[in-house]
Amino acid sequence: MFRDRKEAAMLLAKQLHPYHGQHPLVLAIPRGAVPMAKIIANALAGDMDVVLVRKLRAPDNPEFAIGSIDETGWTYLAEYAHQVVDDPSYIENEKTTQLEIMRERRNSYTPIRPPLDPQKRIVIIVDDGLATGSTMIAALHAVRAKHPQKLICAVPVAPAETLAKVAPYADEIVCLDTPQLFYSVGQFYQSFPQVSDEEVIELLKKDQ
């Protein structure tokens, strides 16, 4: 159990200390991971930015991911997606919805500078925890296409079976805890408030 995202980020930063001095690029999956990425980037003397991906939501359970999509439109579908969704048009509509949200966020988050280039850099992608792993897979795929020197997935908590799904997309995985009983990421935090777009924008401004 972590007190909050700050404590989780500080613990991750200790595990990632070997990358201190190598000017890593720490990318957050918005929104919850953005304050964490800022702490980790500061601890490692690196840069912080966001990688925009969105989960594709199940029809009757928006918290449950059937897949994910990145800014380019590349889509990952979980192996169970077609068991949950029997209408192909639903997935296409959901992809369109999530792409529009990402366009709006990109316009809000980095209006005065382009995203930082991960090419030939050590890149650490951070989230506050993984459940299905769908969004992390999309994030890793998106960054891999930009040819980083090394690509690392860093999370405080995730089920072991999720890490096994994510592992082929990363060069290294850093995870602090892999509990057997896992219902949601929030259950492993004493304090787990929503992070607003305004907070994300302020943190990105400070990192320019």
Side-chain angles (χ1 to χ4, degrees), residues 25 49 115-119 121 146:
L25 175 58
D49 204 349
L116 298 179
D117 187 359
Q119 185 173 7
R121 296 189 67 175
K146 297 174 181 175

Side-chain angles (χ1 to χ4, degrees), residues 4 6 14 21 52 73 77 84 94 138 143 152 169 172 193 208:
D4 50 24
K6 179 180 179 180
K14 288 182 181 179
L52 295 187
L77 286 179
V84 178
E94 177 68 359
V143 175
I152 302 152
Y169 296 86
E172 180 184 348
Q208 290 173 13

Side-chain angles (χ1 to χ4, degrees), residues 5 21 42 49-50 68 72 74 88 96 102 105 113 120 123 126 134 137 142 156 163 166 177 182 189 191 194 201 204:
R5 291 185 179 94
N42 287 346
D49 204 349
V50 292
S68 55
T72 70
W74 180 84
T96 299
M102 282 188 282
R105 285 192 170 176
R113 66 160 172 81
K120 296 182 180 179
V123 179
V126 178
S134 292
I137 287 171
L163 293 181
V166 170
D177 191 22
F182 192 107
Y189 289 84
S191 175
Q194 291 285 329
I201 292 165
L204 288 170

Side-chain angles (χ1 to χ4, degrees), residues 2-86:
F2 304 103
R3 277 199 308 272
D4 50 24
R5 291 185 179 94
K6 179 180 179 180
E7 181 187 54
M10 292 170 66
L11 292 170
L12 275 175
K14 288 182 181 179
Q15 292 294 313
L16 293 163
H17 184 73
Y19 298 106
H20 184 274
Q22 299 186 53
H23 196 223
L25 175 58
V26 184
L27 298 178
I29 296 178
R31 288 174 297 194
V34 176
M36 296 177 62
K38 180 67 174 173
I39 291 169
I40 294 168
N42 287 346
L44 301 181
D47 294 323
M48 188 271 283
D49 204 349
V50 292
V51 53
L52 295 187
V53 292
R54 294 284 295 175
K55 68 182 173 185
L56 300 176
R57 304 165 298 176
D60 300 316
N61 184 359
E63 293 302 312
F64 183 61
I66 59 169
S68 55
I69 187 167
D70 71 14
E71 285 187 275
T72 70
W74 180 84
T75 302
Y76 164 79
L77 286 179
E79 65 275 8
Y80 51 79
H82 293 294
Q83 299 170 10
V84 178
V85 180
D86 55 10

Side-chain angles (χ1 to χ4, degrees), residues 60-193:
D60 300 316
N61 184 359
E63 293 302 312
F64 183 61
I66 59 169
S68 55
I69 187 167
D70 71 14
E71 285 187 275
T72 70
W74 180 84
T75 302
Y76 164 79
L77 286 179
E79 65 275 8
Y80 51 79
H82 293 294
Q83 299 170 10
V84 178
V85 180
D86 55 10
D87 179 5
S89 66
Y90 171 85
I91 293 177
E92 291 305 312
N93 290 336
E94 177 68 359
K95 286 163 63 175
T96 299
T97 297
Q98 300 306 331
L99 280 168
E100 182 58 32
I101 290 172
M102 282 188 282
R103 277 193 289 269
E104 292 174 358
R105 285 192 170 176
R106 178 59 71 192
N107 290 337
S108 297
Y109 289 174
T110 53
I112 58 174
R113 66 160 172 81
L116 298 179
D117 187 359
Q119 185 173 7
K120 296 182 180 179
R121 296 189 67 175
I122 293 170
V123 179
I124 302 166
I125 301 183
V126 178
D127 206 352
D128 49 23
L130 304 181
T132 67
S134 292
T135 51
M136 180 58 76
I137 287 171
L140 290 164
H141 181 273
V143 175
R144 178 73 75 191
K146 297 174 181 175
H147 309 293
Q149 175 186 334
K150 186 174 184 179
L151 188 53
I152 302 152
C153 162
V155 293
V157 62
E161 58 268 26
T162 295
L163 293 181
K165 291 178 185 177
V166 170
Y169 296 86
D171 298 316
E172 180 184 348
I173 290 180
V174 176
C175 182
L176 303 176
D177 191 22
T178 54
Q180 290 189 333
L181 293 176
F182 192 107
Y183 302 107
S184 70
V185 172
Q187 82 184 85
F188 300 100
Y189 289 84
Q190 293 173 4
S191 175
F192 195 65

